[in-house]
Amino acid sequence: MDTNKKIALLTIRLLLGFIFFFQGLGKIFKFGVDNVYNNFFAKTYEGILPDFLLQGTAYYTSYIEFLGGLLLIIGLKRDYTLYALASVLIIVTFGHGLVEPIWDLSHVMYRAILLLTLLLLPKEWDHYRLDTLLKKK
C-alpha cells in the first residue's frame, strides 16, 4: 500500500484528534465544565432549552471532545469515536443555529471536513493506529 496514503490519513486523524483533545482538555481542566455551562450554555440558551438538557450537553460535549480526541490520537476504536464526535458537531451546529441563524462556521466546518474525510476514505489506509497493532496480535 502507498505510504503517502497511510501518512495522509495519520495526519488527518492526528489533526482532528488534537483539535478535539485540546478543546475538551481546556473545557474540563482549565475552565471546568461547570464554568463552561454557567458562562456559555446557561447564558446563551436561557429560556430556549431546559436547564437539565443544557447541563447534560455541556458535560457530554466536553468529555466526548476530550476522550474522543485522545482515542483518535492513539487510534483506538476509530469508527465509534468518529460517530461520537460527529454527534458533538451536530449538537454544536444545532445549538449555534438555534441562537443565531447566521454564525461563524469555523466552530464546526474544519472539524466536520476532517471527520467526514476519515469516514469516507478506506479504513485500511488508516494503518498507523493502535487498533491495527492489536488486530495483528
Side-chain angles (χ1 to χ4, degrees):
M1 183 182 309
D2 187 5
T3 302
N4 286 349
K5 292 175 185 175
K6 293 177 183 178
I7 297 297
L9 254 70
L10 174 64
T11 302
I12 293 168
R13 185 168 43 79
L14 289 175
L15 285 172
L16 185 62
F18 283 122
I19 290 167
F20 276 114
F21 175 78
F22 284 117
Q23 186 153 5
L25 183 78
K27 287 180 181 178
I28 296 167
F29 298 107
K30 184 175 182 180
F31 300 112
V33 180
D34 286 334
N35 286 330
V36 170
Y37 164 73
N38 289 323
N39 292 315
F40 299 103
F41 284 73
K43 288 181 180 180
T44 304
Y45 300 98
E46 186 177 16
I48 299 173
L49 295 171
D51 196 49
F52 76 91
L53 185 61
L54 294 173
Q55 194 161 21
T57 301
Y59 276 87
Y60 176 79
T61 57
S62 298
Y63 279 94
I64 293 296
E65 287 168 347
F66 175 70
L67 294 172
L70 179 62
L71 289 173
L72 279 184
I73 292 165
I74 64 173
L76 188 61
K77 299 295 182 190
R78 186 195 94 132
D79 286 351
Y80 294 116
T81 300
L82 291 171
Y83 304 152
L85 292 169
S87 74
V88 169
L89 294 178
I90 291 167
I91 290 167
V92 169
T93 300
F94 175 80
H96 282 294
L98 187 62
V99 173
E100 195 173 340
I102 299 174
W103 52 281
D104 182 3
L105 294 176
S106 68
H107 295 289
V108 172
M109 197 53 63
Y110 296 112
R111 290 180 283 169
I113 291 168
L114 294 172
L115 189 146
L116 293 171
T117 299
L118 286 173
L119 285 173
L120 292 172
L121 289 175
K123 190 189 229 180
E124 298 77 38
W125 293 4
D126 195 3
H127 181 77
Y128 302 115
R129 54 191 168 95
L130 191 54
D131 283 338
T132 305
L133 182 65
L134 294 174
K135 192 176 182 181
K136 287 182 180 179
K137 289 186 177 187

